[in-house]
């Protein structure tokens, strides 16, 4: 019996897609989802082993190791994208880091800058490189990964939350700027996703407050309507929908995929 694909069966044949941090977790699901729909996919990731494994597992996928918080590295990556794909139709700005878990007096300026550089500034750099290709094509789609922490307060995670709120402002402003050129820009706000990163975050929070990881995970999910985490494929399918003909009238929106998160612990 052939196992059914977990991804939406939309047709994205011929589309050229760049996914940042596309070789791990949410990004890997997004990359594989686009490839399953016929797109040509280019992934970048800071994790060299993950990039190698993803390219080995997915024939015809392109990619490289890139730190998207570094503007020079982003420019070099898009030179490679142009050589190998000829351009970009869809950009998924997925790269992000958790940042520090601490009170404001314990967070250093270096930690603050590192969080903003990866979680927000990298999206600007990648969009700046992608938009000329989309203009040439006469249309395009940019999807920025924010978080439910980009619509709710999040104690002890101020750099992360501030960056993710910033992603929403960037998304809505860029959508208004690029709308006349038929380039759509939207944001996805994942909730607690079933990934190793979620487990690292809860472990760090447990250490910071003197609790156990199991207790922290239970506390996080206690204020989720459905009392469970989101799967990476849920995020990927939202990106596929927004990129397809079915999402053609959607721009400037922040869409929560979170199973009902109404409070951050």
């Amino acid at each position: 019996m052939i196992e059914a694909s977990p991804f939406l069966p939309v047709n994205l044949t011929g589309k050229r897609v760049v996914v940042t941090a596309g070789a791990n977790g949410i990004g890997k699901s997004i990359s594989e989802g686009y490839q399953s729909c016929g797109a040509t996919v280019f992934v970048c990731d800071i994790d060299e082993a993950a990039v190698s494994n993803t390219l080995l597992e997915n024939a015809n996928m392109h990619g490289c190791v890139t730190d998207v918080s570094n503007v020079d590295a982003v420019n070099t990556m898009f030179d490679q994208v142009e050589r190998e794909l000829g351009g970009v139709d869809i950009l998924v700005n997925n790269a992000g880091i958790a940042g520090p878990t601490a009170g404001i007096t314990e967070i250093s300026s270096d930690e603050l800058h590192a969080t903003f550089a990866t979680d927000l500034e990298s999206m600007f750099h990648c969009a700046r490189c992608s938009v000329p290709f989309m203009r040439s094509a006469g249309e395009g789609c940019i999807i920025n990964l924010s978080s439910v922490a980009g619509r709710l307060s999040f104690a002890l995670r101020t750099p992360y939350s501030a960056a993710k709120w910033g992603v929403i402002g960037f998304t809505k402003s860029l959508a208004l700027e690029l709308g006349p050129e038929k380039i759509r820009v939207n944001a996805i706000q994942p909730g607690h996703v079933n990934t190793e990163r979620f487990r690292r975050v809860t472990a760090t929070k447990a250490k910071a407050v003197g609790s156990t990881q199991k207790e922290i995970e239970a506390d996080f999910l206690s204020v989720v309507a459905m009392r469970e985490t989101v799967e990476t494929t849920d995020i990927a399918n939202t990106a596929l929908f927004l990129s397809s003909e079915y999402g053609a009238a959607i721009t400037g929106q922040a869409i929560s995929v979170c199973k009902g998160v109404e409070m951050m612990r």
Side-chain angles (χ1 to χ4, degrees), residues 7 65 79 93 104 192 212 236:
F7 301 113
V65 178
D79 287 341
N93 276 317
I104 192 165
H192 304 303
T212 69

Side-chain angles (χ1 to χ4, degrees), residues 78-94:
F78 275 93
D79 287 341
Q80 182 178 345
V81 169
E82 184 174 18
R83 289 194 305 270
E84 297 183 8
L85 272 64
V88 184
D89 299 299
I90 299 166
L91 168 67
V92 182
N93 276 317
N94 169 67

Side-chain angles (χ1 to χ4, degrees), residues 230-257:
V230 174
E231 296 302 320
T232 59
T233 50
D234 296 323
I235 310 304
N237 281 326
T238 305
L240 294 175
F241 172 81
L242 289 171
S243 304
S244 75
E245 60 185 294
Y246 302 108
I250 302 173
T251 195
Q253 303 304 305
I255 300 173
S256 286
V257 184

Side-chain angles (χ1 to χ4, degrees), residues 2 10 26 41 64 73-74 80 92 103 109 113 132 152 164 166 180 234 247:
I2 299 176
V10 297
I26 293 171
V41 180
C64 67
V74 170
Q80 182 178 345
V92 182
S109 58
H113 178 261
L152 299 168
K164 292 303 185 178
D234 296 323

Side-chain angles (χ1 to χ4, degrees), residues 156 201-220:
L156 301 179
V201 166
T202 54
T204 303
K205 176 73 177 287
K207 184 177 180 180
V209 301
S211 186
T212 69
Q213 184 175 356
K214 186 175 181 180
E215 288 171 337
I216 293 299
E217 289 186 6
D219 189 45
F220 275 25

Side-chain angles (χ1 to χ4, degrees), residues 36-162:
S36 76
C37 294
T40 302
V41 180
F42 188 105
V43 302
C44 76
D45 205 292
I46 200 169
D47 186 335
E48 183 175 0
V51 172
S52 296
N53 290 336
T54 297
L55 298 183
L56 283 172
E57 293 168 4
N58 298 278
N60 302 318
M61 194 175 283
H62 303 252
C64 67
V65 178
T66 303
D67 177 359
V68 292
S69 70
N70 183 312
V71 63
D72 292 330
V74 170
N75 291 336
T76 298
M77 178 185 77
F78 275 93
D79 287 341
Q80 182 178 345
V81 169
E82 184 174 18
R83 289 194 305 270
E84 297 183 8
L85 272 64
V88 184
D89 299 299
I90 299 166
L91 168 67
V92 182
N93 276 317
N94 169 67
I97 60 174
T101 299
I104 192 165
T105 58
E106 282 76 51
I107 295 172
S108 70
S109 58
D110 286 344
E111 289 174 314
L112 175 66
H113 178 261
T115 306
F116 270 65
T118 301
D119 291 3
L120 179 57
E121 293 173 27
S122 70
M123 297 190 181
F124 180 94
H125 301 321
C126 291
R128 179 181 50 78
C129 289
S130 297
V131 165
F133 295 116
M134 296 177 183
R135 282 175 170 155
S136 295
E139 62 180 2
C141 178
I142 298 172
I143 297 172
N144 300 319
L145 270 290
S146 178
S147 165
V148 288
R151 64 176 175 84
L152 299 168
S153 54
F154 201 4
L156 301 179
R157 296 287 301 284
T158 49
Y160 178 80
S161 184

